[in-house]
Amino acid sequence: MAVSVLELRRRGYSEDDIALARVTQDAHRRTGAPYRSLTEILAGQPARPRPSAPVEDLTARQLRRRGSYGQAALIADQAALAEKDPDRAAQARYHAQGLKVLAQTPHQLEFDFFGGGNVSLGHQFIDTVQARLLQSDATSAEQDAAMATLLLIVRHLGWQSYTCEKTATDLAEMRGKKKQAMAETLALLEKVGAISRVKRGRSKVITVTPEGAFRGDMNRHAEAVDRYRAEVVQLRPEPAE
C-alpha cells in the first residue's frame, strides 16, 4: 500500500529527507534498479520482492537474427531489470550497451581489415618517397613500378621488425617482372631513401625504416627504431635528394 507524503511528514520525516528519497528513487529508475518506494528508501529497507521482468519471448528465428552478441545484450538487459542491487544493475546495463554495439558491427563483406597484423604506414613517409621519385630522373613507368614494389615490401614486413620477409627474387615473381627489372626498381627505391639493402651472408635483406612503416605492437615501436638506427642507418649512405 502506497504511503502519502503527508503520512511521511506525520511520521517525522523532513522535507529534505523526502526530497532526497525522491532523487534516489529517480536514480534507481534511470539505472533500471528494482523499484523502491519512498517509505523503503527512508527506512533504509531493500526493495521488496516483486515479480521480475520476464525474458522477452522471441522465436528461435528472431534470436538468430539478433546474432550471438544481440542475444547476450538481451539477456544482460533482462538481468538488469531483475537485479536488486542498483550498482550491479548499472553495470549490467553498461555491458549490455557494449554488446549492442558489437551486435551492430557490419558483417565482413570481402576483406578482414583487423586481421593479419596490419602495417601502420606513415603518410609523411609515402609523401616523401613520392616527392623524391618525382624529382628523380626516373620515367613515369619506373616511378609507378617503384611505388607498387614499395607497397609489396611494406605488406611483407616482419613482425616487430624493419626487414622485408621477401627477397628481390620473390618480389620479381610477385610482380611478374624479370630479376633485372626488379633490381633496377629496388636500386631506385634505395636511391630515394625509401628502402635500404643490408648484406647478410650472400644475400641482401630489404629494410624499411620503422618511422615510415611498422608491423607489430606499437609499444615495441621505439625498440625497432633503435635497432634500425644501430644496424642499418650506420651502414647506409645518405639518401640522394
Side-chain angles (χ1 to χ4, degrees), residues 8-232:
L8 291 174
R9 293 196 192 100
R10 192 186 65 78
R11 293 182 184 182
Y13 294 109
S14 67
E15 292 292 341
D16 290 340
D17 290 338
I18 295 172
L20 182 59
R22 281 177 170 160
V23 171
T24 303
Q25 195 178 59
D26 290 339
H28 287 178
R29 286 197 186 100
R30 286 195 300 271
T31 59
Y35 173 79
R36 293 171 68 195
S37 67
L38 294 178
T39 304
E40 291 171 336
I41 295 173
L42 288 168
Q45 299 172 348
R48 289 180 289 111
R50 295 178 174 89
S52 60
V55 176
E56 188 174 343
D57 186 15
L58 298 175
T59 66
R61 182 180 179 185
Q62 287 173 319
L63 286 173
R64 283 197 303 271
R65 290 182 64 182
R66 285 174 176 261
S68 299
Y69 288 119
Q71 294 178 47
L74 176 63
I75 293 172
D77 266 335
Q78 298 294 333
L81 290 173
E83 182 59 60
K84 295 181 179 180
D85 186 334
D87 292 333
R88 287 171 60 86
Q91 288 183 9
R93 286 193 175 280
Y94 171 79
H95 291 297
Q97 184 59 37
L99 290 166
K100 289 176 185 176
V101 172
L102 289 174
Q104 294 169 358
T105 301
H107 295 292
Q108 180 176 320
L109 298 176
E110 183 179 1
F111 305 109
D112 183 2
F113 181 77
F114 297 102
N118 289 327
V119 175
S120 296
L121 189 61
H123 288 174
Q124 186 181 29
F125 171 66
I126 294 299
D127 292 344
T128 301
V129 171
Q130 187 173 28
R132 289 177 179 175
L133 285 171
L134 288 172
Q135 293 170 2
S136 70
D137 56 2
T139 66
S140 178
E142 290 171 340
Q143 294 176 31
D144 291 344
M147 292 302 294
T149 302
L150 181 60
L151 174 65
L152 285 180
I153 293 171
V154 170
R155 159 65 181 88
H156 291 285
L157 282 178
W159 182 257
Q160 315 243 106
S161 174
Y162 48 81
T163 61
C164 177
E165 296 176 335
K166 301 296 181 181
T167 64
T169 302
D170 294 331
L171 294 172
E173 292 177 355
M174 294 169 71
R175 296 214 59 236
K177 300 293 184 181
K178 293 183 179 180
K179 291 183 180 180
Q180 181 57 36
M182 179 54 62
E184 293 172 357
T185 297
L186 294 177
L188 175 59
L189 285 171
E190 190 166 25
K191 178 181 177 181
V192 299
I195 65 171
S196 294
R197 288 180 288 179
V198 179
K199 192 169 177 93
R200 289 183 183 171
R202 300 178 61 182
S203 61
K204 285 187 177 181
V205 177
I206 302 169
T207 69
V208 177
T209 171
E211 293 178 336
F214 180 69
R215 178 168 172 257
D217 181 358
M218 291 307 298
N219 292 326
R220 307 292 296 274
H221 178 259
E223 298 175 19
V225 172
D226 288 341
R227 289 198 310 273
Y228 181 82
R229 286 173 177 165
E231 299 175 15
V232 179

